[in-house]
Amino acid sequence: TKFIEIAGEGVPSRETFAKGVAAQPKDIVLMSLDLDLRGQAPKDVVKSPDAGSITVGADRFGISSTAPMRFFPGRYRIRVLADDGVRVLLDGKPVIDRWELRGVPAVETHEVEFKEMQEVSMTIEYFHDKGGDDRSPARLQLWFEAIDPNFRGG
């Protein structure tokens, strides 16, 4: 997982975000993506031995995280709760793409089906604009629901 600073105002372009991720050499190991920062900087909230190396503040930052995910055959619902921009990609293809300022956390969903056991690369990208006073603090949560799992494979 990479934490990046976002300069300027408004929604960062995909190019600006990608450049920020590419320029960040340090990956922070996270056990889950369930961040409720409550106006604090990520380094003060993230539970990781590497948290001290996070240099972003409580406003205008982004997160990019990629991990392999293994799914049994069946249908699944991906849910992501975010207050500002969020994208979820499976094997590089966007399945959730709400890259905008919102200020109020909202849940986005996508259903996916796997015919056989499959490992996919999942990427989540998130940016937070500003929190405090009349805006919500950073909030990001990702979870999966098995809608119709077929654990026997047939």
Side-chain angles (χ1 to χ4, degrees):
T1 302
K2 294 185 177 187
F3 290 81
I4 63 168
E5 286 188 46
I6 298 175
E9 293 290 324
V11 178
S13 70
R14 293 176 193 269
E15 295 78 25
T16 299
F17 191 87
K19 285 179 185 176
V21 171
Q24 177 56 260
K26 181 71 174 168
D27 268 322
I28 308 299
V29 176
L30 300 179
M31 298 311 290
S32 73
L33 273 177
D34 186 1
L35 302 174
D36 187 357
L37 302 181
R38 300 185 190 276
Q40 299 178 63
K43 70 178 179 181
D44 298 327
V45 177
V46 170
K47 306 264 188 286
S48 169
D50 300 324
S53 66
I54 299 172
T55 60
V56 300
D59 292 328
R60 300 292 299 162
F61 69 88
I63 297 172
S64 179
S65 186
T66 300
M69 303 289 293
R70 183 169 292 177
F71 291 92
F72 286 98
R75 288 184 23 228
Y76 297 85
R77 183 174 296 119
I78 302 167
R79 292 182 182 264
V80 63
L81 172 95
D83 66 306
D84 282 324
V86 66
R87 286 193 288 255
V88 177
L89 299 93
L90 296 178
D91 285 339
K93 297 179 183 109
V95 295
I96 295 174
D97 193 351
R98 188 181 53 84
W99 202 248
E100 62 192 22
L101 295 177
R102 221 188 230 168
V104 177
V107 175
E108 303 293 329
T109 63
H110 176 77
E111 291 185 13
V112 63
E113 183 171 1
F114 298 101
K115 299 293 185 189
E116 58 191 34
M117 172 91 67
Q118 189 170 345
E119 184 171 296
V120 297
S121 174
M122 189 209 60
T123 299
I124 184 165
E125 298 177 333
Y126 163 79
F127 80 87
H128 174 67
D129 186 39
K130 296 178 183 175
D133 302 335
D134 59 346
R135 297 189 182 121
S136 114
R139 184 78 175 103
L140 174 63
Q141 184 178 24
L142 173 74
W143 69 100
F144 299 88
E145 296 174 342
I147 299 170
D148 183 23
N150 183 351
F151 297 117
R152 285 172 269 155

Coordinates of all heavy atoms in Angstrom, one line a residue, residues 46-103:
V46 N -2.9 4.2 11.2 CA -2.6 3.0 10.5 C -1.8 2.1 11.4 O -0.9 2.5 12.1 CB -1.8 3.2 9.2 CG1 -1.2 1.9 8.6 CG2 -2.7 4.0 8.2
K47 N -2.3 0.8 11.5 CA -1.7 -0.2 12.4 C -0.7 -1.0 11.5 O -1.1 -1.9 10.8 CB -2.7 -1.1 12.9 CG -3.8 -0.4 13.7 CD -3.5 -0.4 15.2 CE -4.7 0.1 16.0 NZ -4.9 1.5 15.9
S48 N 0.6 -0.6 11.5 CA 1.6 -1.2 10.7 C 3.0 -0.8 11.3 O 3.1 0.3 11.8 CB 1.5 -0.8 9.3 OG 2.7 -1.2 8.6
P49 N 3.9 -1.8 11.3 CA 5.2 -1.4 11.8 C 5.9 -0.3 11.0 O 6.8 0.4 11.5 CB 6.0 -2.7 11.7 CG 5.0 -3.8 11.5 CD 3.8 -3.2 11.0
D50 N 5.4 -0.1 9.7 CA 6.0 0.9 8.8 C 5.2 2.2 8.9 O 5.5 3.1 8.1 CB 5.9 0.4 7.4 CG 6.7 -0.9 7.2 OD1 7.8 -1.1 7.9 OD2 6.3 -1.8 6.4
A51 N 4.2 2.4 9.8 CA 3.4 3.6 9.8 C 4.2 4.8 9.9 O 3.8 5.9 9.4 CB 2.3 3.4 10.8
G52 N 5.3 4.8 10.7 CA 6.1 6.0 10.9 C 6.7 6.6 9.6 O 7.0 7.7 9.6
S53 N 6.7 5.8 8.5 CA 7.3 6.3 7.3 C 6.2 6.9 6.4 O 6.6 7.5 5.3 CB 8.0 5.1 6.5 OG 7.0 4.2 6.1
I54 N 5.0 7.0 6.8 CA 3.9 7.6 6.1 C 4.1 9.1 6.3 O 4.1 9.6 7.4 CB 2.5 7.2 6.5 CG1 2.4 5.7 6.3 CG2 1.4 7.9 5.8 CD1 1.1 5.1 6.9
T55 N 4.2 9.9 5.2 CA 4.5 11.3 5.4 C 3.3 12.2 5.0 O 3.4 13.5 5.1 CB 5.7 11.7 4.5 OG1 5.3 11.4 3.1 CG2 6.9 11.0 4.9
V56 N 2.2 11.7 4.6 CA 1.0 12.5 4.3 C 0.3 13.0 5.5 O 0.3 12.4 6.5 CB 0.1 11.8 3.3 CG1 0.8 11.4 2.0 CG2 -0.6 10.6 4.0
G57 N -0.4 14.2 5.3 CA -1.2 14.8 6.4 C -2.6 14.2 6.3 O -2.9 13.3 5.6
A58 N -3.5 14.9 7.1 CA -4.9 14.5 7.2 C -5.8 14.9 6.0 O -6.9 14.4 5.8 CB -5.5 15.0 8.5
D59 N -5.2 15.8 5.1 CA -6.0 16.3 4.0 C -5.2 16.0 2.7 O -3.9 16.0 2.7 CB -6.3 17.7 4.1 CG -7.3 18.0 5.2 OD1 -8.2 17.2 5.4 OD2 -7.2 19.1 5.8
R60 N -5.8 16.0 1.6 CA -5.2 15.9 0.2 C -4.2 14.8 0.1 O -3.0 15.0 -0.1 CB -4.6 17.2 -0.2 CG -5.6 18.4 -0.2 CD -6.6 18.3 -1.3 NE -5.9 18.3 -2.6 CZ -6.6 17.9 -3.7 NH1 -7.8 17.5 -3.7 NH2 -5.9 17.9 -4.9
F61 N -4.7 13.5 0.3 CA -3.8 12.4 0.2 C -4.5 11.3 -0.6 O -5.7 11.3 -0.8 CB -3.2 11.9 1.5 CG -4.3 11.2 2.4 CD1 -4.6 9.8 2.2 CD2 -5.0 11.9 3.3 CE1 -5.5 9.2 3.0 CE2 -6.0 11.3 4.1 CZ -6.2 10.0 4.0
G62 N -3.7 10.3 -1.1 CA -4.2 9.2 -1.8 C -3.6 7.9 -1.3 O -2.6 7.9 -0.6
I63 N -4.3 6.8 -1.6 CA -3.9 5.5 -1.2 C -4.0 4.6 -2.4 O -5.0 4.7 -3.1 CB -4.7 4.9 -0.1 CG1 -4.6 5.7 1.2 CG2 -4.3 3.4 0.2 CD1 -5.6 5.3 2.3
S64 N -3.0 3.8 -2.7 CA -3.1 2.8 -3.8 C -2.6 1.5 -3.2 O -1.5 1.4 -2.6 CB -2.2 3.2 -4.9 OG -2.2 2.2 -5.9
S65 N -3.4 0.4 -3.3 CA -3.0 -0.9 -2.7 C -3.4 -2.0 -3.7 O -4.5 -2.0 -4.3 CB -3.8 -1.1 -1.4 OG -3.4 -2.2 -0.8
T66 N -2.5 -2.9 -4.0 CA -2.7 -4.0 -4.9 C -2.3 -5.3 -4.1 O -1.3 -5.3 -3.4 CB -1.8 -3.9 -6.1 OG1 -2.2 -2.7 -6.8 CG2 -2.0 -5.1 -7.1
A67 N -3.2 -6.3 -4.3 CA -3.0 -7.6 -3.6 C -3.6 -8.7 -4.4 O -4.6 -8.5 -5.1 CB -3.5 -7.6 -2.2
P68 N -3.0 -9.9 -4.4 CA -3.7 -11.0 -5.0 C -4.9 -11.5 -4.2 O -4.8 -11.5 -2.9 CB -2.6 -12.1 -5.1 CG -1.7 -11.7 -4.0 CD -1.7 -10.2 -3.8
M69 N -6.0 -11.8 -4.8 CA -7.1 -12.3 -4.1 C -7.5 -13.7 -4.7 O -7.6 -13.7 -6.0 CB -8.3 -11.3 -4.2 CG -8.0 -10.0 -3.7 SD -7.9 -9.8 -1.9 CE -9.6 -10.2 -1.5
R70 N -7.8 -14.7 -3.9 CA -8.2 -16.0 -4.4 C -9.7 -16.2 -4.1 O -10.1 -16.0 -3.0 CB -7.4 -17.1 -3.8 CG -7.8 -18.4 -4.4 CD -6.8 -19.5 -4.0 NE -5.6 -19.1 -4.6 CZ -4.4 -19.8 -4.5 NH1 -4.4 -20.8 -3.7 NH2 -3.4 -19.5 -5.1
F71 N -10.5 -16.5 -5.2 CA -11.9 -16.7 -5.0 C -12.3 -18.2 -5.4 O -11.8 -18.7 -6.4 CB -12.7 -15.8 -5.9 CG -12.6 -14.3 -5.5 CD1 -11.6 -13.5 -6.1 CD2 -13.5 -13.8 -4.6 CE1 -11.6 -12.2 -5.7 CE2 -13.5 -12.5 -4.3 CZ -12.5 -11.7 -4.8
F72 N -13.2 -18.8 -4.6 CA -13.8 -20.0 -5.0 C -14.8 -19.8 -6.1 O -15.3 -18.6 -6.2 CB -14.5 -20.7 -3.7 CG -13.5 -21.2 -2.7 CD1 -13.2 -20.5 -1.6 CD2 -13.0 -22.5 -2.9 CE1 -12.3 -21.0 -0.7 CE2 -12.2 -23.1 -2.0 CZ -11.8 -22.3 -0.9
P73 N -15.3 -20.8 -6.8 CA -16.3 -20.6 -7.8 C -17.6 -20.0 -7.1 O -17.9 -20.4 -6.0 CB -16.6 -22.0 -8.3 CG -15.4 -22.8 -8.0 CD -14.8 -22.2 -6.7
G74 N -18.2 -19.1 -7.8 CA -19.5 -18.5 -7.2 C -19.6 -17.0 -7.6 O -18.7 -16.5 -8.2
R75 N -20.6 -16.4 -7.0 CA -20.9 -15.0 -7.2 C -20.5 -14.3 -5.9 O -20.9 -14.7 -4.8 CB -22.3 -14.7 -7.6 CG -22.7 -15.2 -9.0 CD -24.1 -14.9 -9.4 NE -24.7 -13.8 -8.7 CZ -25.9 -13.8 -8.2 NH1 -26.7 -14.9 -8.3 NH2 -26.4 -12.8 -7.6
Y76 N -19.9 -13.1 -6.1 CA -19.5 -12.3 -4.9 C -19.9 -10.8 -5.2 O -20.0 -10.4 -6.3 CB -18.0 -12.3 -4.8 CG -17.5 -13.7 -4.4 CD1 -17.3 -14.6 -5.5 CD2 -17.3 -14.1 -3.1 CE1 -16.8 -15.9 -5.2 CE2 -16.9 -15.4 -2.8 CZ -16.7 -16.3 -3.9 OH -16.3 -17.6 -3.6
R77 N -20.1 -10.1 -4.1 CA -20.4 -8.7 -4.2 C -19.2 -8.0 -3.5 O -18.8 -8.3 -2.4 CB -21.7 -8.3 -3.4 CG -22.0 -6.8 -3.5 CD -23.4 -6.6 -2.9 NE -24.5 -7.3 -3.6 CZ -25.3 -8.2 -3.1 NH1 -25.1 -8.5 -1.9 NH2 -26.2 -8.8 -3.9
I78 N -18.6 -7.0 -4.2 CA -17.5 -6.2 -3.7 C -18.2 -4.9 -3.2 O -19.0 -4.3 -4.0 CB -16.5 -5.9 -4.8 CG1 -15.9 -7.2 -5.4 CG2 -15.4 -4.9 -4.2 CD1 -15.1 -6.9 -6.6
R79 N -17.9 -4.5 -2.0 CA -18.4 -3.2 -1.5 C -17.3 -2.4 -1.0 O -16.3 -2.9 -0.4 CB -19.4 -3.5 -0.3 CG -20.6 -4.2 -0.7 CD -21.5 -4.4 0.6 NE -22.7 -5.1 0.3 CZ -23.9 -4.5 0.1 NH1 -24.0 -3.2 0.0 NH2 -24.9 -5.2 -0.2
V80 N -17.4 -1.1 -1.3 CA -16.4 -0.2 -0.9 C -17.1 1.1 -0.4 O -18.0 1.6 -1.0 CB -15.3 0.2 -2.0 CG1 -15.9 0.8 -3.1 CG2 -14.2 1.0 -1.4
L81 N -16.7 1.5 0.8 CA -17.3 2.7 1.4 C -16.1 3.8 1.4 O -15.0 3.5 1.8 CB -17.7 2.5 2.9 CG -18.1 3.7 3.7 CD1 -19.6 3.9 3.6 CD2 -17.6 3.6 5.1
A82 N -16.4 4.9 0.8 CA -15.4 6.0 0.7 C -16.1 7.3 0.8 O -17.2 7.5 0.3 CB -14.6 5.8 -0.5
D83 N -15.4 8.3 1.3 CA -16.0 9.7 1.4 C -15.6 10.5 0.1 O -16.4 11.4 -0.2 CB -15.4 10.4 2.6 CG -13.9 10.6 2.6 OD1 -13.2 9.7 2.3 OD2 -13.5 11.8 2.7
D84 N -14.6 10.2 -0.6 CA -14.2 10.9 -1.8 C -14.0 9.9 -2.9 O -14.7 8.9 -3.0 CB -13.1 11.9 -1.6 CG -13.5 13.2 -0.8 OD1 -14.6 13.7 -1.1 OD2 -12.7 13.7 0.0
G85 N -13.0 10.1 -3.8 CA -12.8 9.3 -4.9 C -12.3 7.9 -4.6 O -11.4 7.7 -3.8
V86 N -12.8 6.9 -5.3 CA -12.4 5.5 -5.2 C -12.5 4.8 -6.5 O -13.5 5.0 -7.2 CB -13.2 4.8 -4.0 CG1 -14.7 4.7 -4.4 CG2 -12.6 3.5 -3.6
R87 N -11.6 3.9 -6.7 CA -11.6 3.0 -7.9 C -11.2 1.6 -7.4 O -10.3 1.5 -6.6 CB -10.6 3.4 -8.9 CG -11.1 4.6 -9.7 CD -10.2 4.7 -11.0 NE -8.9 5.2 -10.7 CZ -8.5 6.4 -10.9 NH1 -9.3 7.4 -11.4 NH2 -7.2 6.8 -10.6
V88 N -11.8 0.5 -7.9 CA -11.5 -0.8 -7.6 C -11.2 -1.5 -8.9 O -12.1 -1.4 -9.8 CB -12.5 -1.6 -6.8 CG1 -12.1 -3.0 -6.6 CG2 -12.7 -0.9 -5.4
L89 N -10.1 -2.1 -9.1 CA -9.8 -2.8 -10.4 C -9.5 -4.3 -10.1 O -8.8 -4.6 -9.1 CB -8.5 -2.2 -11.0 CG -8.6 -0.7 -11.4 CD1 -8.1 0.2 -10.3 CD2 -7.9 -0.4 -12.7
L90 N -10.0 -5.1 -10.9 CA -9.7 -6.6 -10.9 C -8.9 -6.9 -12.2 O -9.4 -6.7 -13.3 CB -11.0 -7.4 -10.8 CG -11.8 -7.2 -9.5 CD1 -13.1 -8.1 -9.6 CD2 -11.0 -7.5 -8.3
D91 N -7.7 -7.4 -12.0 CA -6.8 -7.7 -13.1 C -6.7 -6.5 -14.0 O -6.7 -6.6 -15.3 CB -7.3 -8.9 -13.9 CG -7.0 -10.2 -13.1 OD1 -6.1 -10.2 -12.2 OD2 -7.6 -11.3 -13.4
G92 N -6.6 -5.3 -13.5 CA -6.4 -4.1 -14.2 C -7.7 -3.5 -14.8 O -7.6 -2.4 -15.4
K93 N -8.8 -4.1 -14.7 CA -10.1 -3.6 -15.3 C -10.9 -3.0 -14.2 O -11.2 -3.6 -13.2 CB -10.9 -4.8 -15.9 CG -10.1 -5.4 -17.1 CD -10.9 -6.5 -17.7 CE -10.2 -7.2 -18.8 NZ -9.7 -8.5 -18.4
P94 N -11.3 -1.7 -14.4 CA -12.1 -1.0 -13.4 C -13.5 -1.7 -13.2 O -14.2 -2.0 -14.2 CB -12.3 0.4 -13.9 CG -11.8 0.4 -15.3 CD -11.1 -0.9 -15.5
V95 N -13.9 -2.0 -11.9 CA -15.2 -2.5 -11.7 C -16.0 -1.6 -10.8 O -17.2 -1.6 -10.8 CB -15.1 -3.9 -11.0 CG1 -14.5 -5.0 -12.0 CG2 -14.4 -3.9 -9.7
I96 N -15.3 -0.7 -10.1 CA -15.9 0.4 -9.4 C -15.1 1.6 -9.7 O -13.9 1.6 -9.6 CB -16.0 0.2 -7.8 CG1 -16.9 -1.0 -7.5 CG2 -16.4 1.5 -7.1 CD1 -16.9 -1.4 -6.0
D97 N -15.7 2.7 -10.2 CA -15.0 3.9 -10.6 C -15.8 5.1 -10.2 O -16.7 5.6 -11.0 CB -14.7 3.9 -12.1 CG -13.7 4.9 -12.5 OD1 -13.3 5.8 -11.7 OD2 -13.3 4.9 -13.7
R98 N -15.6 5.7 -9.0 CA -16.3 6.9 -8.5 C -15.2 7.8 -8.1 O -14.9 8.0 -7.0 CB -17.2 6.6 -7.4 CG -18.1 7.8 -7.0 CD -19.0 7.5 -5.9 NE -18.4 7.0 -4.7 CZ -17.8 7.7 -3.7 NH1 -17.7 9.0 -3.9 NH2 -17.3 7.2 -2.7
W99 N -14.6 8.4 -9.1 CA -13.4 9.3 -8.9 C -13.9 10.7 -8.8 O -13.8 11.5 -9.8 CB -12.4 9.1 -10.0 CG -11.0 9.5 -9.7 CD1 -10.3 10.5 -10.2 CD2 -10.1 8.9 -8.7 NE1 -9.0 10.6 -9.7 CE2 -8.9 9.6 -8.8 CE3 -10.2 7.8 -7.9 CZ2 -7.8 9.3 -8.0 CZ3 -9.2 7.5 -7.1 CH2 -8.0 8.2 -7.1
E100 N -14.5 11.2 -7.7 CA -15.1 12.5 -7.6 C -15.0 12.9 -6.1 O -14.8 12.1 -5.2 CB -16.5 12.4 -8.0 CG -17.4 11.5 -7.2 CD -18.7 11.2 -7.8 OE1 -18.9 11.4 -9.0 OE2 -19.6 10.8 -7.1
L101 N -15.2 14.2 -5.9 CA -15.4 14.7 -4.5 C -16.8 14.4 -4.1 O -17.7 14.7 -4.8 CB -15.1 16.3 -4.5 CG -13.8 16.8 -4.9 CD1 -13.7 18.3 -4.9 CD2 -12.7 16.2 -3.9
R102 N -16.9 13.9 -2.9 CA -18.2 13.7 -2.3 C -18.4 14.2 -0.9 O -19.4 14.8 -0.6 CB -18.5 12.2 -2.3 CG -19.9 12.0 -2.7 CD -20.4 10.7 -2.6 NE -21.0 10.3 -3.9 CZ -21.4 9.1 -4.2 NH1 -21.2 8.1 -3.3 NH2 -22.0 8.9 -5.3
G103 N -17.4 14.1 -0.1 CA -17.4 14.6 1.2 C -18.2 13.8 2.2 O -18.0 13.9 3.4

